[in-house]
Amino acid sequence: MPDPRTALRRILDSLKAEPSRTWSIIITIYGDAIVPRGGSLWLGTLSAVLHALDIGDGVVRTAMSRLAADGWLERSRIGRNSFYRLAERGRETFRTATEHIYNAHPPPPGSGFELVLLGNGGDREAARSALQDAGFGSAGPGVWVAPAGTAIPPVAADALRLDATADAETRRRLAAQSWPLDQTAAAYRHFLAEFEPLREALAAGGALPDQDSFIARILLIHAWRRIVLRDPVLPADLLPPDWPGTAARALCADLYHRLLPASERWLDGHGQAESGSLPPPGPELQARFR
């Protein structure tokens, strides 16, 4: 029988081979696991998770200070204990991303496009960054495109907006020009190769300890959101043949729900907020990937 602990170690080794993204992992922990349970977490609980990822206290303190200074986290103290929750910036960012991460559905084939034309006024760089984060692709200098219905970020609200339609060939050319589909496909294939052994091991009857299940869940969503938030989730007729994003989303959904019960058990026993144990999650947690 495949050993899920071996599969998890390989995922951890892959994470360690990358540049440090401790701050991003912390945001994943809060958005995925703590927001559904009230939003506040004792630093000691967070440190226990990060220690299991071989992230030391000094790196944790630096990351938390940076996130607080940048407006992502808010700190409160009770005695000598520190508790952190997402600040408004972090809550709004994860609120916007939640549907895309867990329940995105592509528009039907033949759908039109949103075109946004950025002028030279205002904070052009902030608008560009926000449009990219919202899933817009760049069709040319100052021209941003997304599937019809994609929300335009507030920072770009003053830009000129157009609804566009085109024949099938022009639509495919526009998609290929506007988004790095080859790079996104390669990222999805890497995701499949990295997490399929763990899914297979659990499907074959293997099990992970509760804390390892929580770690695996966080690493799964950490890897997944880094890909999917750059994927505009285009209609199927605009994608290359055998698009791997479909298989990757199915794997992520299956593995997430295999890990969820044990990972939530670990939070039940170890998660601490200002008022004591973390409250139970709301129904939105089970609705993810449904």
Side-chain angles (χ1 to χ4, degrees):
M1 177 187 298
D3 184 357
R5 291 170 298 182
T6 300
L8 179 56
R9 278 197 299 271
R10 289 173 179 161
I11 295 169
L12 281 167
D13 288 343
S14 178
L15 176 74
K16 293 173 190 176
E18 298 178 355
S20 174
R21 290 189 174 92
T22 302
W23 66 271
S24 182
I25 294 173
I26 292 169
I27 293 298
T28 299
I29 292 169
Y30 273 89
D32 180 72
I34 307 307
V35 167
R37 284 173 165 262
S40 176
L41 186 67
W42 175 44
L43 181 59
T45 305
L46 181 65
S47 295
V49 175
L50 296 174
H51 285 171
L53 296 172
D54 288 338
I55 299 173
D57 287 339
V59 176
V60 174
R61 284 194 298 271
T62 299
M64 298 301 279
S65 295
R66 174 184 170 185
L67 287 166
D70 289 347
W72 287 95
L73 294 176
E74 297 172 337
R75 187 179 77 162
S76 61
R77 292 181 67 91
I78 298 179
R80 300 178 63 182
N81 294 327
S82 294
F83 300 84
Y84 287 86
R85 66 172 58 244
L86 288 179
E88 179 56 33
R89 177 184 179 184
R91 292 195 299 272
E92 180 59 32
T93 299
F94 216 87
R95 230 182 347 254
T96 302
T98 292
E99 190 67 17
H100 204 69
I101 292 170
Y102 300 106
N103 296 309
H105 299 287
S111 299
F113 294 101
E114 304 275 358
L115 289 183
V116 174
L117 309 181
L118 286 182
N120 293 321
D123 193 339
R124 183 182 173 92
E125 190 56 40
R128 283 166 49 91
S129 178
L131 286 166
Q132 188 175 36
D133 288 345
F136 281 76
S138 179
V143 181
W144 293 82
V145 59
T150 303
I152 297 174
V155 72
D158 292 336
L160 183 62
R161 174 190 168 277
L162 302 171
D163 295 324
T165 58
D167 60 79
E169 177 58 27
T170 302
R171 285 161 45 76
R172 284 191 290 271
R173 287 175 55 199
L174 180 61
Q177 180 176 329
S178 301
W179 290 281
L181 296 180
D182 288 346
Q183 294 177 30
T184 303
Y188 277 132
R189 292 189 186 98
H190 179 76
F191 178 88
L192 285 163
E194 191 163 62
F195 285 94
E196 178 60 26
L198 178 57
R199 191 203 68 80
E200 288 181 351
L202 295 176
L208 289 170
D210 290 354
Q211 185 182 37
D212 285 352
S213 293
F214 184 77
I215 300 260
R217 168 186 164 185
I218 294 305
L219 294 179
L220 175 73
I221 296 302
H222 176 64
W224 175 247
R225 77 179 182 90
R226 286 165 55 196
I227 305 170
V228 77
L229 291 181
R230 297 296 184 182
D231 181 353
V233 191
L234 298 174
D237 61 327
L238 299 185
L239 296 170
D242 301 320
W243 179 247
T246 305
R249 183 172 285 275
L251 181 149
C252 191
D254 182 69
L255 184 52
Y256 189 79
H257 283 283
R258 289 182 186 276
L259 295 167
L260 198 57
S263 65
E264 288 295 299
R265 244 188 345 260
W266 186 82
L267 281 175
D268 286 339
H270 298 85
Q272 294 290 314
E274 290 101 331
S275 58
S277 298
L278 291 176
E284 70 276 8
L285 184 66
Q286 291 294 336
R288 289 173 174 175
F289 293 110
R290 298 299 192 192

